[in-house]
Amino acid sequence: MALSVVWFITAALSFVHLTPLTSLEEEYHFKQWMQQHNRVYDTEEYYHRLHVFTHNRRMIDHHNAGNHSFTMGLNQFSDMTFDEFRKFYLWTKPQNCSATKGSHVSRTGPHPESVDWRTKGNFVTPVKNQGNCGSCWTFSTTGCLESVNAIATGKLVSLSEQQLIDCARNFDNYGCLGGLPSQAFEYIKYNKGLMTEEDYPYKGHDDTCSFVPTLAAAFVRDVVNITVYDEKAMVEAVASLNPITFSFDVTADFMHYKEGVYSSTWCKNTSVSVNHAVLAVGYGTEENGTPYWIVKNSWGTAWGKDGYFLIERGRNMCGLAACSSYPLLLV
């Protein structure tokens, strides 16, 4: 009997230790969020996710009550710890992406004060969703090539991320564990083409290469790397040519980004610390004078500002100027 009492007390203390003191209001918000995102848990998992959700929600509220250039919000990741998020959505295979001396040739200015390729014509495909796979590098690659191809030909065609996941490993890419757009462009160049999304649809996991050469729809003649940390050259490329890929270091606060110009003191800014690849489709300046990039992400339209985010420009924020690239078409 005494042992049973001791066991009960120990179990109760463990439960208290693992579960935060959540209010009824917080649990109500969690249940609303579960319904919105179609989440179902068993009892043990429910209390664990309630703990994580409550922690994230309090962090979001605390951030939004302060003086910051961006706001946070609940999203599809709100029941995840950052360690879990990093495992499923970011590179887990370290990448050194620097191009110390790039091959981009800058043109003389002046350049427009703002550019947005989404408003220039039908040059940017809709936001996609990588799912539980660290394949952001493939979406950055296809997004850029789709735009470059559309600008050159007038036809916007969605291209295959899955082909890159399955087939580009010989170019130092690792499927759902990570890779680099510049290396993916190299693969497309030497492979002689990339298929469409329709012909080689996305699965969101590593699979066997099923490339069909006769169905290749986009071709790369060469890869252009922008010199490491040369953010002015990045601006010049977006202003005069096309959207460009870049990679940066995602930290826990970015996971909850909602709107505004993202800026962080948590992230690192070196070429060896980047863990996520995206597509810069434009740039501009806030009314308060803060310059920013307009960036397309690959976490679906429910995240951020309809799947996009703004990030501070001109300071190599989170290493975003460490490795930027774009392809030249073979037409």
Side-chain angles (χ1 to χ4, degrees), residues 113-115 261 283-294 313:
E113 291 187 4
S114 64
V115 169
V261 179
Y283 62 84
T285 305
E286 289 278 87
E287 289 184 3
N288 65 6
T290 303
Y292 59 79
W293 290 103
I294 305 168
R313 174 169 57 91

Side-chain angles (χ1 to χ4, degrees), residues 171-186:
F171 290 77
D172 292 327
N173 298 306
Y174 303 96
C176 284
L177 296 180
L180 289 175
S182 59
Q183 292 163 183
F185 292 138
E186 291 283 354

Side-chain angles (χ1 to χ4, degrees), residues 268-280:
K268 299 174 183 176
N269 62 1
T270 64
S271 61
V272 295
S273 61
V274 299
N275 57 15
H276 187 51
V278 289
L279 182 71

